């Protein structure tokens, strides 16, 4: 059995996940995807919009759309403190797809940071919901 660690994923509104996992994969701002397993060196990083995966000890995966925040690894614990986050199983896929289309249309006419961020959030939501983008 793989070594486990404590994982918490929280947003200002709620605790999305709190429990034991074997690995967490998330995406840092400007740094790409990073994986954490039990015994990882201490780490602190800023997060970008992404599809975070928490690999549970029972073999299941908790998919979470994370929209900014921070990840901290200390001891045998990974804490994700997000600006906003959603469980993949609770994402309204039609709404996320509509947001993706709106952001893409907006970017066809004008390149602005708000539209880029909206598109990144839509991609994170769709990936967390199991939809390939």
């Amino acid at each position: 059995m793989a070594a486990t660690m404590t994982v918490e994923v929280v947003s200002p509104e709620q605790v999305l996940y709190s429990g034991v996992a074997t690995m967490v994969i998330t995406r840092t701002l400007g740094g790409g995807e990073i994986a954490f397993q039990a015994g990882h060196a201490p780490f602190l990083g800023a997060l970008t919009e992404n599809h975070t995966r928490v690999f549970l000890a029972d073999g299941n995966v908790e998919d979470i759309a994370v929209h900014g925040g921070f990840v901290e690894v200390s001891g045998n614990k990974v804490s994700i403190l997000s600006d906003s986050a959603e469980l993949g199983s609770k994402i309204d896929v039609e709404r996320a797809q509509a947001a993706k289309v709106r952001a893409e249309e907006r970017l066809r006419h004008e390149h602005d940071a708000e539209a880029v961020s909206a598109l990144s959030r839509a991609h994170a939501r769709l990936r967390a919901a199991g939809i390939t983008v």
Side-chain angles (χ1 to χ4, degrees):
M1 183 169 140
T4 60
M5 60 193 168
T6 303
V7 177
E8 286 188 345
V9 180
V10 299
S11 72
E13 297 83 28
Q14 65 183 323
V15 175
L16 285 106
Y17 178 80
S18 180
V20 176
T22 58
M23 184 167 53
V24 175
I25 299 175
T26 193
R27 183 175 295 273
T28 58
L29 188 64
E33 281 197 330
I34 186 166
F36 302 105
Q37 292 181 306
H40 195 283
F43 181 87
L44 179 64
L47 298 174
T48 187
E49 291 91 356
N50 78 90
H51 169 208
T52 293
R53 281 95 64 210
V54 179
F55 293 81
L56 309 180
D58 66 6
N60 289 315
V61 177
E62 188 68 64
D63 295 293
I64 305 170
V66 172
H67 311 294
F70 295 91
V71 59
E72 178 186 17
V73 179
S74 180
N76 207 29
K77 181 176 182 180
V78 175
S79 298
I80 293 179
L81 309 170
S82 66
D83 297 337
S84 175
E86 305 162 87
L87 292 174
S89 60
K90 306 243 179 191
I91 290 172
D92 182 337
V93 173
E94 287 182 20
R95 184 172 171 231
Q97 287 174 326
K100 177 180 176 279
V101 169
R102 282 192 308 274
E104 289 171 340
E105 181 63 27
R106 194 165 157 193
L107 286 170
R108 281 188 196 95
H109 301 293
E110 177 183 359
H111 187 78
D112 69 46
E114 190 176 311
V116 170
S117 182
L119 184 59
S120 294
R121 284 191 308 274
H123 282 172
R125 286 182 177 117
L126 291 168
R127 285 185 183 114
I131 306 296
T132 302
V133 292

